[in-house]
Amino acid sequence: MLLPAEGKEEEMSEELEAKVKRYLRGEGANLEALQDKKLKTQLAIREDLYGKSAKAAAKAEKWLMPSEGGYLEAEGLEKTWRIKQESIAREVDILSARNQHDIILPDLGPYTLDFTSSGRYMAAAGRKGHLALVDMKNLGLIKEVQVRETVRDVVFLHNELFFAAAQKKYPYIYNRDGTELHCLKEHGAVRKLQFLKNHFLLASINKIGQLHYQDVTVGEMVANFRTNLGRSDAMRVNPFNGVVTLGHSSGTVTMWKPTSSAPLVKMLCHHGSISALAFHPNGHLMATSGKDRKIKLWDLRKFETLQTLPGHACSLDFSQKGLLACGNGSFVRVLGNFSDSQTYEKYMTHSIVKGYQINKVLFRPYEDVLGIGHSMGWSSILIPGSGEPNFDSWVANPFETSKQRREKEVKSLLDKLPPETIMLDPSKIGTYKPLTKKEKPTKQEREAKMEEVVAAVKDAPLKKKTKGRSKPSRRAKKKQESIAIAKRPFLEQQMKEDGALSRKKQKISEEVQLPASLQRFATKKKGT
């Protein structure tokens, strides 16, 4: 029988182990298979260091993560989705109540929104040319400009100092003061914009279905592909692997990376046009909405449907804690997964003023807030349990100073990932490629290669020599010799393969056992 103190210590150690496992973020490397002793020692030291840092983080969690997340809880027969925003506003503190507001700008909508990774700043873009930058901590307007033309989308770049707007003819990049810095004419009339913060790539899809990737650090166009699937109204980046996903009018969803001109994945998700896309923060769950009035949840590890929900959504978004917001018409639904069965149920609902048409819903990072861009401006409502309660100042700091921002910018530029690291399974980076047998080229491939080499030899200019040695007959003869030399390795390889095939056939024919009545007709081996 354990003493109370010993039982408490054991319970604390079990708690600590669970926390350490969470901070380790996966199993350690298998070092037993390594033959190189030096490498094995170095990796063992590194693994030990990871274990110590995870244990230190688990011990300090009590002080570094003081806040705890929570959701709305109903009593008895009460339902959480029946609770109104007015009831929530009466119960929360003053600072949280300030996050509940409506900005009405009837002449400039519909509006689209974007938040910085820390959730401190918001960019709002009205379809009729209004661009605004807002500090969400004190709800102060930093800058607003009127560009006097259609604005379809807006997205922040690596921090709040720069943002890109998809305007009528081209996308433009502005700074915090509203000054136009760049006009990206190569992108064309862009419909949707996305920024890959780890790779510093600005991705866009235009009206004719062209996908562009541009490196914003050096201004170089990294890739430019034609999707050949027509217009796309939905575009999102998977936060897990950086793969850009497009939803097309044919009901298909395609996944792209900048180093491949063909889609990595092409899947038929709906029997109507795709209207909205969203990714869970873990990157393994995707939500799609189509004009067939269905919302589907997909497991991207198996590319299978997990759940199909009735209803249409013109905009979808996942929160940091996995809540799914669906906006359509003047109605917002928030779905939550509160069981181990991976099924989403209705958690909260909200109706804006009748007649307002929702254009975009977007959760604010590190806050229990949902931003709604609609035809008459934008609104903000409280969704308890949607945001991460504790922020990591090394990842996203809502209170960072200008000096911290500069240091973070330099560090992120040094840690910038090349476009080649974008792939469906990023865990393969840094692993060994398994040895595979080299496949032999087919006859058609060999002939095509030989024709290419011959064509290159024919086009190669011959060196002019002294008088009498550059006659046309001599030059033609020299050209024929060069062609014969170029063809020789291919012909030798073909002869070798033909000889090996004939020997194999002969061996097989010798191994065949003939009936006793026919053995006297078989050719006898030499020496028997």
Side-chain angles (χ1 to χ4, degrees):
M1 185 176 176
L2 289 171
L3 293 170
E6 289 178 6
K8 197 173 181 181
E9 281 178 15
E10 190 176 327
E11 192 178 334
M12 285 176 69
S13 66
E14 285 177 4
E15 255 182 61
L16 188 66
E17 279 179 19
K19 287 178 182 178
V20 167
K21 197 176 282 186
R22 192 168 73 247
Y23 281 103
L24 279 172
R25 296 177 184 177
E27 294 179 3
N30 182 20
L31 305 178
E32 298 300 324
L34 289 175
Q35 301 295 327
D36 190 339
K37 288 185 179 179
K38 189 178 178 182
L39 178 62
K40 194 173 181 179
T41 308
Q42 288 175 349
L43 289 177
I45 293 167
R46 187 70 58 87
E47 287 292 331
D48 187 46
L49 190 63
Y50 287 154
K52 285 178 180 176
S53 62
K55 197 169 183 179
K59 284 180 179 178
E61 186 179 303
K62 186 167 62 176
W63 295 279
L64 295 177
M65 301 181 73
S67 303
E68 289 185 6
Y71 298 97
L72 279 178
E73 291 183 4
E75 294 180 354
L77 298 174
E78 191 181 17
K79 302 292 182 184
T80 55
W81 50 269
R82 291 187 182 276
I83 299 172
K84 303 291 183 186
Q85 287 294 310
E86 293 81 9
S87 306
I88 296 171
R90 285 195 296 269
E91 303 299 329
V92 297
D93 58 279
I94 297 169
L95 286 174
S96 299
R98 288 181 65 188
N99 289 323
Q100 202 180 57
H101 59 264
D102 293 296
I103 306 297
I104 307 303
L105 298 164
D107 300 327
L108 302 170
Y111 273 82
T112 183
L113 312 172
D114 190 43
F115 292 104
T116 54
S117 58
S118 64
R120 173 77 184 265
Y121 299 94
M122 182 187 78
R127 184 65 58 87
K128 293 175 185 173
H130 181 225
L131 293 173
L133 198 62
V134 183
D135 186 345
M136 298 302 288
K137 283 291 175 189
N138 53 22
L139 294 179
L141 181 66
I142 296 169
K143 190 70 182 177
E144 64 175 340
V145 291
Q146 176 57 255
V147 297
R148 298 176 184 272
E149 65 177 10
T150 305
V151 179
R152 299 187 187 91
D153 201 6
V154 67
V155 66
F156 276 109
L157 301 189
H158 55 283
N159 57 27
E160 74 277 4
L161 296 182
F162 305 98
F163 63 94
Q167 293 177 208
K168 186 177 181 180
K169 286 187 177 179
Y170 313 109
Y172 291 81
I173 293 178
Y174 296 90
N175 69 359
R176 182 175 171 154
D177 300 322
T179 307
E180 182 189 316
L181 301 178
H182 300 287
C183 174
L184 310 176
K185 291 189 176 181
E186 291 180 22
H187 291 249
V190 168
R191 292 191 59 80
K192 294 289 178 183
L193 287 169
Q194 288 289 309
F195 184 70
L196 286 73
K197 60 181 181 179
N198 294 324
H199 306 81
F200 282 83
L201 292 176
L202 181 65
S204 70
I205 184 76
N206 63 17
K207 276 185 172 181
I208 58 172
Q210 273 187 316
L211 178 64
H212 293 81
Y213 287 89
Q214 186 150 12
D215 191 330
V216 298
T217 56
V218 293
E220 180 190 355
M221 185 65 74
V222 175
N224 174 14
F225 306 129
R226 275 187 176 274
T227 60
N228 296 320
L229 290 165
R231 173 172 158 160
S232 177
D233 291 323
M235 180 184 189
R236 280 298 179 99
V237 174
N238 190 331
F240 174 63
N241 51 26
V243 171
V244 170
T245 305
L246 302 173
H248 304 277
S249 54
S250 58
T252 56
V253 166
T254 53
M255 298 183 185
W256 300 80
K257 65 175 183 177
T259 53
S260 172
S261 58
L264 300 173
V265 176
K266 185 177 177 182
M267 51 195 289
L268 180 65
C269 294
H270 292 271
H271 295 296
S273 175
I274 304 290
S275 56
L277 279 171
F279 286 98
H280 194 280
N282 65 16
H284 301 316
L285 188 66
M286 178 178 72
T288 60
S289 173
K291 293 292 174 69
D292 56 357
R293 303 195 66 79
K294 288 179 183 176
I295 297 169
K296 293 184 179 181
L297 297 170
W298 300 84
D299 185 352
L300 295 181
R301 289 165 293 188
K302 301 177 184 176
F303 296 101
E304 291 179 356
T305 312
L306 287 177
Q307 191 179 359
T308 302
L309 300 163
H312 176 61
C314 63
S315 181
L316 295 169
D317 191 47
F318 276 101
S319 74
Q320 288 178 312
K321 293 304 236 176
L323 298 181
L324 175 63
C326 315
N328 183 44
S330 57
F331 189 70
V332 178
R333 280 189 301 165
V334 179
L335 309 173
N337 173 26
F338 305 108
S339 61
D340 300 329
S341 57
Q342 288 290 324
T343 55
Y344 273 74
E345 302 166 355
K346 190 154 58 168
Y347 173 55
M348 287 189 72
T349 59
H350 177 68
S351 294
I352 56 176
V353 178
K354 195 173 181 181
Y356 291 9
Q357 296 298 306
I358 292 171
N359 185 45
K360 188 167 184 178
V361 292
L362 191 66
F363 282 101
R364 184 176 158 195
Y366 303 103
E367 294 285 348
D368 292 346
V369 173
L370 176 66
I372 305 169
H374 48 78
S375 57
M376 303 295 278
W378 71 83
S379 303
S380 180
I381 62 173
L382 297 176
I383 307 294
S386 63
E388 180 66 44
N390 303 287
F391 64 87
D392 185 351
S393 59
W394 292 104
V395 178
N397 185 6
F399 307 99
E400 70 181 359
T401 61
S402 57
K403 185 180 178 182
Q404 287 172 332
R405 187 183 61 235
R406 286 196 300 269
E407 287 178 358
K408 184 182 173 184
E409 191 171 7
V410 171
K411 189 174 183 297
S412 58
L413 282 167
L414 291 171
D415 293 340
K416 175 187 165 188
L417 298 175
E420 291 77 21
T421 57
I422 298 173
M423 57 181 68
L424 284 174
D425 186 9
S427 61
K428 288 183 179 177
I429 297 171
T431 58
Y432 291 105
K433 189 176 181 181
L435 292 171
T436 54
K437 278 190 176 181
K438 196 175 179 182
E439 292 182 6
K440 290 181 181 178
T442 59
K443 190 178 179 182
Q444 289 82 2
E445 288 174 356
R446 197 185 296 111
E447 286 176 359
K449 184 72 176 172
M450 188 168 70
E451 286 173 8
E452 282 178 20
V453 172
V454 169
V457 170
K458 283 182 180 177
D459 295 338
L462 288 173
K463 200 174 180 181
K464 286 192 176 182
K465 295 191 176 179
T466 55
K467 190 176 180 181
R469 295 179 66 186
S470 291
K471 291 180 181 179
S473 58
R474 280 178 177 265
R475 291 170 71 84
K477 189 178 178 182
K478 188 73 176 171
K479 186 81 80 174
Q480 291 297 327
E481 286 175 2
S482 301
I483 292 169
I485 291 167
K487 280 185 177 180
R488 189 178 297 160
F490 296 98
L491 297 174
E492 286 176 356
Q493 182 68 22
Q494 181 66 33
M495 287 174 65
K496 199 182 286 184
E497 285 182 8
D498 290 344
L501 188 65
S502 62
R503 284 194 297 274
K504 191 176 179 182
K505 282 182 180 177
Q506 187 178 355
K507 192 177 179 183
I508 290 167
S509 64
E510 287 171 358
E511 288 174 357
V512 172
Q513 286 290 332
L514 292 173
S517 58
L518 297 176
Q519 278 180 6
R520 60 197 182 93
F521 298 107
T523 53
K524 292 181 180 179
K525 291 182 185 178
K526 289 180 181 179
T528 56

